[in-house]
Amino acid sequence: MRALLDTVESSRELPASADVVVIGGGIIGSFTAYYLARRGLKVALLEKGRIGGEQSSRNWGWCRQQNRDARELPMATKSLDLWEQFAADEQEQTGFRRCGLLYLSNDEAELAGWARWGEFARSVNVRTQMLNAAEAAEHGKATGKAWKGGVYSPTDGTADPSRAAPAVARATMRRGGTVHQGCAVRGLETEGGRLSAVITEKGSIRTRVAVLAGGAWASSFCRQYGIRFPQATIRQTVMAVAPGAGELPPALHTSQISITRRSDGGYTLAVSGRGRVDPTAQLLRFSTQFLPMFMRRWRNLAPGTLEGLRSGHESLSRWRLDQPTPMERMRILDPTPDTAAIRLTHQRALAFMPALKDRAVTGAWAGYVDSTPDGVPGIGEIASLPGLVLAAGFSGHGFGIGPGAGHLIADIVSGAAPLVDPRPYHPDRFKSSAWGQVADF
């Protein structure tokens, strides 16, 4: 089994014009288009492959406030409410539920870090509960192990990566927007120094505003217009086991293994933070800016393969608007799962979760997590190309904060009062070093 994904029926015709064109149909682009359509704007959502086909359907599905960086916490809190509001307002199911997230540990330093975050969380009215040894043992009894402590965030939850982005895209169409799959954006046109049209493989759309929510492809796209957006992708692998271990918590994190119950009753398993760094020309270009990030994460990262070069999403090449682009040659990034990570994940899962011992492995998949030097997304209008709004580099956090990010981007585009302070996300910060600014997540 590979990563599952619901289908979306595309709109029939590409519009000649739109108030806003959203480039990229992952969770960020889908929610952006949805909130723009709700405001009565004529919006077109363009996706080179399938809605939600890349990292938006390959993640854990966690929607958390717990241990969020202070810059992202306000957006995470707003997003939880927006997940619920979407379900109430639309005839679509994202699988969102506030099932609570459980963290367990036997490491005193880790527990102390969680306690410090808990103190900060209380100062901004976020609920979190530190667990002593007895409480941790009760919450984590399915592991059959003793724990020194933990933390439980009862208002956090999960959504279904296979359903969410498609559900939002369908709701966007019902609100008057259009959705176009298999429609790669080749580039942009300008008039008087301002964006005037989006050029796709199927024709052009006149517009004065475009939102670049291209995920792992965003930096290469920016390069076509002399925009320096430092981005690097990490290949991360997850695996799935069959239903039948219902006594396990719905969402559990430990330093050794993390598990999430899926909608079908099975579980997604992963080792948090573990990934492969596939060398690419773009990675080398931005390597100095990513030194603070890699020095913080080096224990969980390992050298990868040449797959990143073959995929083409981190190319330094430039392409023409009248010829097929790398996005058309690689409609969906579907990288090879890391077999060593699969073995390690399964071994740890069986050691930590006795209930999984009789559960068959049903599949594994990988995805490219698009990261910025500080681990915080870039959201904001590009000064050198008025009308182009960047929304990328969500660093593995985009799924959970997708509703809040989409709402904020729609606020920026429409001139409405912002849902949260947009300043911590503005891409101008990438002109400075990330030393001392790397998100602690």
Side-chain angles (χ1 to χ4, degrees), residues 212 214-223 226-232 282 285-286 289-290 370-374 376-379 382 390-395 425-431:
L212 177 57
W217 299 86
S219 183
S220 295
F221 192 95
C222 284
R223 179 174 167 78
I227 300 165
R228 195 175 192 277
F229 173 41
Q231 189 178 38
Q282 182 172 288
R285 178 192 182 201
F286 295 130
Q289 282 191 260
F290 277 91
D370 55 312
S371 299
T372 62
D374 59 9
V376 176
I379 301 173
I382 301 297
L390 178 67
F394 280 77
S395 306
Y425 310 109
H426 200 281
D428 280 354
R429 74 181 191 279
F430 299 128
K431 297 175 184 177

Side-chain angles (χ1 to χ4, degrees), residues 263-285:
S263 295
D264 65 359
Y267 280 85
T268 298
L269 315 175
V271 177
S272 180
R274 185 180 177 89
R276 292 278 180 179
V277 182
D278 292 339
T280 65
Q282 182 172 288
L283 179 65
L284 294 175
R285 178 192 182 201

Side-chain angles (χ1 to χ4, degrees), residues 8 14 21 37 39 48 54 74 79 87 118 154 169 181-182 193 231 240 268 397 424 432:
V8 177
L14 199 70
V21 173
R39 297 171 195 208
K48 62 182 173 52
E54 295 189 340
S79 291
Q181 297 172 100
Q231 189 178 38
T268 298
H397 308 160
S432 303

Side-chain angles (χ1 to χ4, degrees), residues 412-434:
I412 293 170
V413 168
S414 65
L419 180 75
V420 296
D421 183 358
R423 289 174 295 182
Y425 310 109
H426 200 281
D428 280 354
R429 74 181 191 279
F430 299 128
K431 297 175 184 177
S432 303
S433 170

Side-chain angles (χ1 to χ4, degrees), residues 125-158:
N125 299 316
V126 172
R127 289 181 58 197
T128 187
Q129 177 186 352
M130 287 300 298
L131 307 176
N132 59 31
E135 293 167 333
E138 176 61 25
H139 278 271
K141 59 186 176 183
T143 68
K145 296 184 179 297
W147 298 96
K148 289 184 178 180
V151 62
Y152 181 62
S153 49
T155 60
D156 288 354
T158 63

